Amino acid sequence: MPGSKPFYVIPEDRYDNVLVANAHPASWVNPEPASTYNLVVLGAGTAGLVAAAGAATVGARVALVERGLMGGDCLNYGCVPSKAIIRSSRAAAEIRDAADYGIRTGGPVDIDFAKVMDRMRRLRAQISEHDSAERFKSLGVDVFLGEARFLDRRRIEVGGKVLRFAKALIATGARPVHPPIPGLAEAGFLTNETVFTLTQRPDVLTVIGGGPIGCELAQAFSRLGSKVTIIQRDVQFLPREDRQAAEHLGRVFAKEGIACKLNAQVAKVTTESGKKRVHFTVEGSEESVVADEILVGAGRAPNVEGLNLEAAGVAYDKRAGVKVNDYLQTTNRRVYAAGDVAFPYKFTHIAEATARIVVQNALFLKSKKTRSLTIPWCTYTDPEIAHVGMYEKDAQAKGIEVRTFSRSFKEVDRAILDGEEDGFIMIHVKKGTDRILGATIVARHAGEMISEITAVMAARKGVKLLAASVIHPYPTQADALRQASGQYYAGLMKPSLRKILRKWFAWKR
Ligand SMILES: Cc1cc2nc3c(=O)[nH]c(=O)nc-3n(C[C@H](O)[C@H](O)[C@H](O)COP(=O)(O)OP(=O)(O)OC[C@H]3O[C@@H](n4cnc5c(N)ncnc54)[C@H](O)[C@@H]3O)c2cc1C
């Protein structure tokens, strides 16, 4: 069944048992359905949980259906486990570089991979309580564990029970794409659904795909001691991002010893003596690399199959997902969709933001549009790459003239003191105004810093606010935002104006 998730989690240790007890308890008995629900939610990932909790909080009768683990990708196979191991890999990198800070560590870094994964599972289990079936039951939500499918335009079936709805939300998320590479399936490969079950480090790892998932995990495994090759079919990593940011990351990867194969097309996978050989071509020349494991991060496909969307009158596309309008309504006006199943930008905070829109539009006045969202995102490599709004290329494509204010962290005191000068800020404004079109931050803490620009954009303010009104404590790396924004005024000081001011000052003397 596509997208199906197991109810047990390997390696089934005490932490995984806690996770499963929270996220899909074996003893769970589905409740008797209400005669009609205000909202039936399909899928208990971020979008489903946020919508169900929000709707129950305002007094709606809500049913939530989950076939796998509550918490969805973010908790179980995505953000949470990946950020836990990224943190361990950062610790390894910091200890590796400790001598730069005058600290002797007494030898090479000794990584206990099993302990790294143990820590990840412990923290994931701890966090899982928040998404647990019991917690949602206590919020007044009827939680049904099982596979949901539409019977018709107003009814859903789960485990032989029929849920009638006034409104429904499809929040069934996405799953990793399995690329049709000859020999890949036979050789076996990891995806985000299986990589976090590892208890032994693959000494040699090949990562296919240089998007956010591939880049984050390639660097994390490399820092944890795997010899990593990353194969990316595009000419740059993170194809969506500004070229400067992506190239910067490529240089960091190369410096850290990750073998980077850009513009590379994977041809096939073969096996030899228990190892996996990935064959690929780079600009016509054939290459191959041998690995213990292959990790595939080659895109995400929306979970639209098996839902019987035709019976509900909900239009969808197997690649783009459920079709929604600006209010997140599908072609059945009673049915909405949110999160990865309907959005090209597959992030937890977007799942959350779109779920909130659905609660408003489905249960109250239909007034909130996705168009009004200001959406940032971040790839948690080191340095992080965070972005909000338009890229310069988008603005140019729309014929908007752009002025860009940049600041290197090499010029920012706190970054110098922290030994974190690696990165820069670019803020794009509409020429002739201070309106921020978009911004990219490449920095160790870029994900934290981007929110300040997002807030300014969401409030419909401009760089003048950042440059002249917001005071940043000294020394902070976020002060780089003020420094970059300050260039707005430098551009305004035309020679003619300076001449007038000179005369005025002379008169004042
Ligand atoms: C490795 C990795 C790292 C990531 N890191 C980040 C990050 O750092 N920051 C970030 O913002 N995003 C990150 N993401 C993306 C993030 O995990 C997703 O965008 C988010 O989980 C989407 O939430 P969702 O609710 O739309 O879908 P999901 O979380 O996928 O939830 C959908 C749920 O629906 C259930 N379901 C599907 N079909 C049915 C059915 N027929 N009946 C019942 N239930 C069904 C599924 O079992 C699943 O639990 C990461 C993703 C991955 C893979």
Side-chain angles (χ1 to χ4, degrees), residues 10-11 113-114 117-118 120-121 190 194-202 205 221 293:
I10 297 170
F113 185 79
M117 299 308 263
D118 206 54
M120 175 275 288
R121 288 193 302 278
L190 300 165
T194 46
V195 69
F196 302 114
T197 67
L198 291 177
T199 49
Q200 257 195 319
R201 180 185 64 203
L205 176 71
F221 273 86
E293 293 285 0

Side-chain angles (χ1 to χ4, degrees), residues 447-459:
E448 306 290 342
M449 280 186 257
I450 200 74
S451 297
E452 190 172 333
I453 300 187
T454 310
V456 172
M457 290 176 73

Side-chain angles (χ1 to χ4, degrees), residues 3 5 42-48 65-80 82-83 146-149 171-174 192 196 213 216-217 300 303 305-307 338-341 345-351 378 380:
K5 311 265 169 74
L42 288 78
T46 304
V65 189
E66 172 55 55
R67 70 178 174 191
L69 294 169
M70 298 203 28
D73 268 1
C74 180
L75 172 68
N76 301 293
Y77 321 96
C79 330
V80 168
S82 63
K83 268 73 239 175
E147 175 103 19
R149 61 192 290 277
T172 49
N192 71 289
F196 302 114
I213 295 171
E216 286 183 4
L217 293 178
R300 320 255 319 138
N303 289 327
E305 295 86 350
L307 291 167
D340 282 7
V341 76
Y345 298 117
K346 300 194 187 317
F347 296 104
T348 291
H349 48 281
I350 297 178
C378 182
Y380 297 92

